[in-house]
Amino acid sequence: MMDMSPVGGKEGQSPPNSKKTSKKPKYSRFSQQELPAWKPILTPGWVISTFTVIGIIFIPVGLASLFSSEKVEEAVFRYDDTCLPSSDADNAVAYIKSATTNKTCTHKWTVEHKMQAPIFIYYQLDNYYQNHRRYVKSRSDKQLWNKASESDTSNCSPEDKTKGNAPIVPCGLIAWSLFNDTYKFSMNNKDLTVNKKNIAWSSDRGSKFGPNVYPKNFQSGELIGGGKLDESIPLSEQEDLIVWMRTAALPTFRKLYGKIETDLEANNEIEIVIQNNYNTYEFGGKKNLVLSTTTWIGGKNPFLGMAYLVVGGLSLFCAIGFILLYVIKPRPLGDPSYLSWNRNPGILK
Amino acid sequence: MDSKRPLLLQSPRTTNDQEFPTIPVFPELPKSKSSSSNTVTFSGVEYGQQVDHKTSSNSSTSSSKSAMSIHSMSSSKRNNSLNHSGSKKPVTVRYGSKGGGDSDGLTMSQRELRDEDARLVYINDPEKTNESFEFFGNSIRTAKYSILTFIPRNLFEQFRRVAYVYFLIIAILNQLPQLAVFGRYVSILPLAFVLFVTGVKDAFEDWRRHNSDKVENNRLASVLINDGSFVEKKWKDIRVGEIVKIKTNETIPCDIVLLSTSDPTGVAYVQTINLDGESNLKTRYAKQETGSKVQPRYTGLIKCEKPNRNIYGFMANMEIDGKKLSLGSTNIVLRGCELKNTSWALGVAVYCGRDTKAMLNSSGAPTKRSRLETRMNYEIIMLSSFLVALCTITSVCAAVWLKRHKDELNLLPYYRKLDFSKPKVDDYKYYGWGLEIFFTFLMSVIVYQVMIPIALYISIELVRVGQAYFMIEDHRLYDEATDSKFQCRALNINEDLGQIKYVFSDKTGTLTENKMEFQCASIWGVDYSSTKANIDGEQGEYSVQVDGKVLKPKMKVKVNPELLKLARSAVENEEGKRIYDFFLALATCNTIVPLVVDTPDSDVKLLDYQGESPDEQALAYAAAAYGFMLIERTSGHIVIDIHGKRLKFNVLGLHEFDSDRKRMSVILGYPDSSVKLFVKGADTTMFNVIDKSYNMDLIKSTETHLHSYSSLGLRTLVIGMKELNTSEFEEWHAAYEAASTAVFGRAALLKKISNNVESNVCILGASAIEDKLQQGVPEAIESLRAAGIKVWVLTGDKQETAISIGFSSKLLTRNMTQVIINSNNRVSCRKNLKDALERSRKLMSTFGVGNNDGAVANQIALIIDGGSLVHILDSEHEEELFQLASLCSVVLCCRVAPLQKAGIVSLVKNRTSDMTLAIGDGANDVSMIQMADVGVGISGQEGRQAVMSSDFAMGQFRFLVPLLLIHGHWNYQRLGYMILYNFYRNAVLVLVLFWYVLYTAFTLTTAINEWSSTLYSIIYSALPTIIVGILDKDLGRSTLLKFPQLYSAGQRDEAYNKKLFLLTMADTLWQSMVIFWPPLFAYWKSTIDVASIGDLWTIATVILVNLHLAMDVVRWYWVTHAVIWGSIVATFISVMIIDAIPQLPGYWAFFHVSSSGLFWALLLGIVIAALLPRLVVKFIYEYYFPSDIQISREAEKIKQYQRVAENGQIEMLPISDQQQHR
């Protein structure tokens, strides 16, 4: 370029000053692209052993997790329909909304297999989009932790302030829709203790929900969404709320209700008293009560084991297939006679 | 430099130049040296002035109307000829950024400036000059920004990239409260980051420019002030119209018209290295009328053209003392040049500051867009429509969902349409069904935005910078001889180098060294070949003693001892006299300027012949070696040392070379006052002017010699002489005087005069100059052809020369069938073409049917000359020519003009989709270089114009092999893979996001948190693809050189094509599904929360895309390891950091979820299952359907093992061994 400035043209042409030093590029293995390198290639041996190893690892793991899943004892009771009195069957929404109807419901259950403590009690909601974007955003994490920012309710509308403009603690749709069914268990007319301590993550209790933040103006509006909170207990100890506020990822989810810390023997007769308060009738959501033991893969779920078995099986199948192919039709690696210009020389122009 | 080529007197290269008058013709030649300066030395000032009076009165009588008509005539003539050469090829008429051709010799002197086009400069009266027009001062500003304008202008510059605008629109959309998918600031972050980094870089560059501007503007120059004395003035204060004095070795501060110099004849030598990179000296002239003024008191008016960027042309006239003088490009000295060998020069500033030609030329090289990028844009469009499809699906589903749940929305716990907190029950954030859907659409655009890989554009730029670095630093592309590195002038077409199918090469200076060596002379019908003499070559070194000092020519020449002896012997016989005349012609009939250079030995001085034509230099050195040493040249006389005797010849006239006559002549006044005319030129035109009656045998034998020389590949010139008697001389002189002072049509008049005087010339002999093939050219051509690249050579040389060079460069082989088209008229040309086409088709078919082994014998070489091309390129026969050429394996075009070169390139470019590369070194290659997809300039002996218009520049032709076969191959493979990978990388993330949307009632909740999705393309996966794109090599250097055929992978678009794109997208679909569904099934009916499953998806995606890349890496350097595994580690760390912030809803999710075995089991399962199909397909493809690259890669690896086993054998076969692999 004709750029007169010493900076030179845009294209980085060296300035036209007369440096007499050689412009020869300095040699380095890097600049000459000669750095030492590892050059793996997909040899049949390598590939076959990879597939074999995958198969060998995956099949036992799959079997192990299937086995664990089988070992999990799980009892599921759907009660949104069974707990609905037949007289109100056509009028479920009115029934559940009414403050006067009796919502207690009893269920008898015989334990089929022995369940070892701890037995986890979950409630399971179906068709409930806790991951709806309007819903997940409707909370104020600042307010939950810090008493000073209790008026920080900007994301919480319409459950942000009372009509008197007092901030609601905890604000937002999530807290407002707090699940409020309760369960009582008794065996042989003796109550089974349900431990509701430590059902929430300790991290949430310790750093997310403030020990000096107390519920305020909660569920005081015209429209009651769900459970109420004891205003004398700080949020850090409102474990049901903390569990509920961990919004579920999927539209069918369980949430921990409590733990039974005694073993249940087979054929034990358990009476479950359910307080059916939570309104899912309006949108056809199902409610289930789940009692389950746990193993290293969590609850009862054969999916992982099956998936591992399938993947492991396919890998072994591939390995065998490749071995056969290799035996029947091997190709010498790096044989120049396979080069396209060697295979059909006539094509060369 | 434009001037150079045409000056090669013997050279027939510029044949047909008259067809293309826009090619600048020898502006350097002292054409307007005119007259006055010559007359001074010969017949005195009075005479010259008389003539000038006459001319000025002529010009004053000529009305402006006639001036205008001449102007328009000349321009219409130009247009016609342009149409003639370039019709139907709209692009052919392209020139260098310098607009090289605007004022060639012909038009310049014929054109008159119209007042409205002119700038008026009153000499030494800057006030008056700047009164009505405020011309720019001489301060320059290369800096783009000032402190105030930096932010707006820089942002404006940056947002000219469409990708950034897309980025911005997304960020703005996200600011609308209804659409805020991401946090407000998060969404601006990536854009802000990129803008900031680029801004800082720009600011730094601009700061450096500011500094250099300051230095430049504050340099000092002497300026004449009113009282006649000179004062030092800063450059920036110089104004148009001021008179500037420049001393030797000083830089010229602005464009000045010379008024006088220390040389009494007004000559000044300048070096233009800063301007065009040429280091040889150029002569500039002050007008005699101004130069003769003893007192520097000037009044006058210069009328010159408006500022333009043509550094090779200048058009103006000057009115001084009532006389009107015409000024040309030899009277102006441009800013940036340096004054050399002249103790001072005075000039008037005509263009200042940003009007100077140097500044007007400081813009960048033309930008091209690479083929890969063009193709990529097509896929980008596909991705965009895919993006739109995803958004549409999302919003349609959302619409259906809203419709179906219409009645429940009011109180739905997770929707709550009604707002009871207000006294009047209202809708809460619900804008009606239609609008909700519209918002959903926009929100999905925001969420899926990374589908368009914006980071890809930045990555590609970075990778190209890295590739350019490796090309520049490559030892194999460094030329020791010229100390020049490879230059990457266009940064955005690196990968095109890997897809070249046609190479169009110049010959002289490209295939050959353009270092001319005098080889043979045929004098008076006798052949004196120095090659015949002893091979060890007696290096003729001739020296003379001057003032006790030894003066030697700088270059040694091989001499023929017999001829040397004859030359030394006195002028006794006829033969000796002819030899004397012959060498005198060589020494004088040129435009060489001898310069005396000091050597370390103070007693020895070297004589350096500075000239614009290497041929002339070679001839002058040869003459010196035979004892005819050119010592001094001024515009008026020449001093020659003939065997120790100094003779001074007056130069009475010089008819410079032009492409019509293809010869030049000089008229010398001998000390004994006899007058002789010496002519040298191309044989074709010389034989027309030779006195045939004189000696037929002589002419015949000279012709025979010429033929044998040219079949050896030598460049030939014919030398002639004529004695002028007094009347002839007087007649010529009068005409010459009149012509050289004429204002209009000067060049045409001069040409006519020279044609008149150059007649009935007595032939002296012929010279032959060897232009050696560059090192490694035959091997390079062979490699290129083995790589499936068609090499076409386009040269201005004669057919015999071209063919012989073709053989010596292995372009032509003995078993090729030569098809020669060489005809002078349209009809025969058409017939020839048809015949040739039929013949070649027959040849092809018979051999094709016969046996496959005949493939070699089957090759056809097409040789076609410029004269035929004129008829073909113009007409409907182009198509036939193309068909014929595509049957041929070699095409050799000789005697082609520059524009024809471009025409041939466009012939191929317009008819195929193949990539073309043009390589050349001279100004005559510029149009071809710019026409081709990739232009390569050779920075050789011929100046830098080719380099300046090229995309890549290097020192030698043979570098083309490593450039294309190695770097081109790598660049293409790397970038092709990188683009595919980037599409995949972003699409995987988008699809995972999309699948989740299906489970959130189509509300675009993202499980992967906003920080992770922002960092995804910045931290999690950006660096590995860039590093791999810069460093990975599919094959080693030696393999690529050994099997040039591997290059054809790029020609076949193997690394990036639609099939690969679709395959990649199918793989993407599978992988995204494997990432998404297993966790979904495993965590169905569980307590998993959004953040935890989001973290699992994030980590799975990142590990997967990095392993995917790892699977395709061919060479693992430590950097590759570091960056791939480092990215995965960095992701884990980032996720941990994000999850350690209590204010985010996902607090501690990662630590919680990763403490379960299920998480890790899922992660392992996802990664393996997602990559399995890819591994299977890759293996089957590589093992059972191996590409050439794959086989060579295996061979490379196996050979390496063998080498280790055999304890260090020779690793490589030389390139020539490839024959056996053919």
Side-chain angles (χ1 to χ4, degrees), chain B residues 328-591:
Chain B
S329 59
T330 49
N331 305 113
I332 188 169
V333 186
L334 303 182
R335 179 183 176 126
C337 298
E338 271 178 49
L339 193 68
K340 296 277 184 190
N341 285 39
T342 312
S343 57
W344 55 265
L346 270 186
V348 56
V350 285
Y351 303 124
C352 274
R354 72 172 85 159
D355 285 343
T356 58
K357 291 176 186 286
M359 295 309 294
L360 289 171
N361 268 294
S362 58
S363 65
T367 52
K368 290 182 181 171
R369 178 173 269 191
S370 87
R371 169 143 136 169
L372 201 57
E373 207 174 320
T374 318
R375 296 191 65 123
M376 182 183 96
N377 285 336
Y378 176 75
E379 265 79 45
I380 293 267
I381 291 169
M382 280 183 65
L383 285 179
S384 311
S385 33
F386 190 50
L387 171 69
V388 171
L390 286 187
C391 297
T392 313
I393 293 172
T394 307
S395 40
V396 166
C397 290
V400 172
W401 191 89
L402 283 176
K403 206 79 181 170
R404 284 176 57 185
H405 295 79
K406 192 171 63 186
D407 304 328
E408 303 154 13
L409 292 181
N410 288 350
L411 297 175
L412 203 57
Y414 52 84
Y415 201 95
R416 232 335 258 285
K417 197 176 107 189
L418 294 185
D419 186 355
F420 288 89
S421 62
K422 306 252 164 53
K424 184 176 143 276
V425 174
D426 217 349
D427 275 358
Y428 146 68
K429 284 194 183 169
Y430 187 83
Y431 308 94
W433 188 68
L435 217 49
E436 282 290 309
I437 290 155
F438 178 65
F439 287 152
T440 305
F441 187 86
L442 291 183
M443 280 195 285
S444 49
V445 174
I446 298 174
V447 172
Y448 306 146
Q449 56 169 307
V450 285
M451 188 61 126
I452 310 296
I454 293 154
L456 176 61
Y457 289 97
I458 301 158
S459 311
I460 287 182
E461 270 178 39
L462 287 174
V463 167
R464 283 191 182 132
V465 168
Q467 291 176 341
Y469 166 81
F470 283 128
M471 288 195 275
I472 291 165
E473 292 298 312
D474 193 340
H475 270 235
R476 290 162 200 240
L477 299 180
Y478 167 76
D479 185 25
E480 299 271 359
T482 53
D483 187 29
S484 55
K485 277 192 199 179
F486 183 78
Q487 286 180 45
C488 232
R489 298 173 44 82
L491 259 185
N492 42 3
I493 58 170
N494 289 348
E495 61 276 9
D496 276 353
L497 291 172
Q499 298 191 280
I500 301 297
K501 188 89 197 197
Y502 287 91
V503 166
F504 298 92
S505 172
D506 176 38
K507 189 185 78 68
T508 311
T510 307
L511 297 180
T512 62
E513 283 185 9
N514 205 13
K515 275 188 192 151
M516 304 301 166
E517 255 176 55
F518 180 80
Q519 285 291 348
C520 314
S522 158
I523 305 170
W524 205 239
V526 184
D527 178 21
Y528 303 95
S529 296
S530 54
T531 43
K532 273 191 210 157
N534 45 344
I535 307 285
D536 345 303
E538 191 181 315
Q539 295 272 305
E541 192 170 318
Y542 180 78
S543 56
V544 288
Q545 299 276 330
V546 183
D547 307 331
K549 285 182 180 150
V550 180
L551 202 57
K552 281 200 288 195
K554 197 177 165 196
M555 261 187 18
K556 292 173 181 174
V557 181
K558 267 194 282 182
V559 295
N560 181 328
E562 186 195 349
L563 183 59
L564 184 61
K565 215 169 81 196
L566 284 170
R568 278 197 188 130
S569 61
V571 193
E572 287 153 356
N573 47 13
E574 183 77 348
E575 194 187 20
K577 227 158 115 191
R578 292 309 169 188
I579 292 171
Y580 180 91
D581 285 339
F582 181 81
F583 284 115
L584 193 59
L586 293 192
T588 56
C589 187
N590 55 39
T591 53

Side-chain angles (χ1 to χ4, degrees), chain A residues 1-7 10-11 13 16 21-27 30-44 47 51 54 58 97 122 124 127-129 131-137 141 157-159 161 163 173 176-177 201 203 207-208 222-223 246-255 282-283 296-297 301 303-304 308 311 315 318 322 325-326 329-331 333-335 338-342 348-349, chain B residues 142 180-181 208 212 274-275 336 358 361 363 408 411-416 419-422 428-429 469-470 473-475 478 480 483 485 489 501 944 948 967 970 974 996 999-1001 1003-1005 1033 1037 1043 1045 1078 1080-1090 1092-1093 1114-1117 1142-1145 1147-1149 1152 1157-1158 1161-1162 1164-1165 1168 1172 1176 1179-1180 1182-1184 1186 1188 1191 1193-1195 1197-1198 1200 1221-1222:
Chain A
M1 308 294 80
M2 316 272 141
D3 204 331
M4 305 315 303
S5 69
V7 179
K10 230 184 181 172
E11 304 308 310
Q13 202 173 347
T21 51
S22 165
K23 286 185 208 145
K24 180 158 187 165
K26 283 199 189 70
Y27 177 85
F30 175 73
S31 72
Q32 300 310 307
Q33 307 194 57
E34 286 165 3
L35 286 178
W38 174 54
K39 298 177 277 184
I41 49 173
L42 286 182
T43 59
V47 172
F51 279 107
I54 293 175
F58 269 52
K97 275 186 170 171
Y122 303 98
Q124 175 184 322
N127 204 14
Y128 192 106
Y129 288 91
N131 58 13
H132 197 284
R133 77 174 293 99
R134 285 167 74 104
Y135 189 76
V136 290
K137 298 228 151 190
D141 288 293
S157 120
E159 285 299 323
K161 291 190 171 82
K163 278 184 181 158
L173 283 182
W176 170 77
S177 60
W201 297 5
S203 56
S207 322
K208 206 159 169 58
E222 263 174 49
L223 197 67
R246 272 266 152 208
T247 50
L250 303 168
T252 298
F253 61 88
R254 292 175 182 175
K255 289 208 173 275
E282 207 166 27
F283 56 92
W296 64 273
I297 65 155
N301 192 338
F303 170 78
L304 188 75
Y308 261 70
V311 172
S315 291
C318 284
F322 286 147
L325 268 177
Y326 178 69
K329 198 181 169 229
R331 175 177 73 87
L333 287 182
D335 183 348
Y338 281 81
L339 290 167
S340 62
W341 56 90
N342 290 338
L348 183 67
K349 282 163 219 136
Chain B
T142 54
V181 181
R208 292 199 347 191
S212 67
N274 282 359
L275 206 57
N361 268 294
S363 65
E408 303 154 13
L411 297 175
L412 203 57
Y414 52 84
Y415 201 95
R416 232 335 258 285
D419 186 355
F420 288 89
S421 62
K422 306 252 164 53
Y428 146 68
K429 284 194 183 169
Y469 166 81
F470 283 128
E473 292 298 312
D474 193 340
H475 270 235
Y478 167 76
E480 299 271 359
D483 187 29
K485 277 192 199 179
R489 298 173 44 82
K501 188 89 197 197
R944 302 184 47 84
M948 285 197 290
H967 288 287
W970 285 342
R974 288 165 176 173
Y996 187 59
Y999 289 89
T1000 61
T1003 54
L1004 297 159
T1005 316
K1033 304 194 291 186
R1037 247 173 227 280
F1043 300 117
Q1045 292 92 333
L1080 184 96
F1081 288 134
Y1083 285 119
W1084 196 255
K1085 296 185 184 171
S1086 81
T1087 57
I1088 194 78
D1089 64 301
V1090 179
S1092 300
I1093 204 167
V1114 179
R1115 262 154 227 251
W1116 286 86
Y1117 305 101
Q1143 276 75 30
L1144 296 179
Y1147 176 63
W1148 222 247
H1152 198 263
L1158 185 60
L1162 277 171
L1164 179 70
I1168 300 289
L1172 269 190
V1176 170
F1179 175 69
I1180 292 180
E1182 285 187 358
Y1183 194 69
Y1184 290 103
D1188 295 337
I1191 295 168
R1193 185 183 302 158
E1194 292 162 4
K1197 176 132 181 150
I1198 288 166
Q1200 203 178 35
H1221 298 289
R1222 207 205 63 246

Side-chain angles (χ1 to χ4, degrees), chain B residues 955-1028:
Chain B
Q956 300 262 326
F957 178 81
R958 67 169 196 277
F959 295 165
L960 208 53
V961 173
L963 180 66
L964 298 184
L965 265 47
I966 298 175
H967 288 287
H969 179 89
W970 285 342
N971 291 348
Y972 170 71
Q973 297 284 339
R974 288 165 176 173
L975 217 62
Y977 178 75
M978 187 175 114
I979 293 172
L980 282 178
Y981 175 76
N982 274 271
F983 286 160
Y984 149 81
R985 175 175 74 116
N986 287 10
V988 159
L989 182 73
V990 169
L991 283 173
V992 169
L993 294 172
F994 174 73
W995 301 134
Y996 187 59
V997 163
L998 303 181
Y999 289 89
T1000 61
F1002 318 103
T1003 54
L1004 297 159
T1005 316
T1006 52
I1008 296 172
N1009 70 52
E1010 57 194 40
W1011 287 99
S1012 278
S1013 46
T1014 307
L1015 294 178
Y1016 180 73
S1017 36
I1018 300 177
I1019 294 178
Y1020 297 175
S1021 62
L1023 219 46
T1025 154
I1026 294 174
I1027 293 295
V1028 170

Side-chain angles (χ1 to χ4, degrees), chain A residues 25-95:
Chain A
K26 283 199 189 70
Y27 177 85
S28 75
R29 295 189 82 165
F30 175 73
S31 72
Q32 300 310 307
Q33 307 194 57
E34 286 165 3
L35 286 178
W38 174 54
K39 298 177 277 184
I41 49 173
L42 286 182
T43 59
W46 198 88
V47 172
I48 290 167
S49 42
T50 307
F51 279 107
T52 316
V53 167
I54 293 175
I56 288 173
I57 293 175
F58 269 52
I59 289 177
V61 174
L63 287 174
S65 56
L66 263 188
F67 181 70
S68 315
S69 170
E70 283 305 308
K71 247 175 48 181
V72 171
E73 289 301 331
E74 189 183 80
V76 184
F77 316 103
R78 180 168 173 198
Y79 66 89
D80 57 306
D81 47 353
T82 53
C83 287
L84 192 65
S86 50
S87 54
D88 290 306
D90 299 332
N91 222 351
V93 177
Y95 160 79

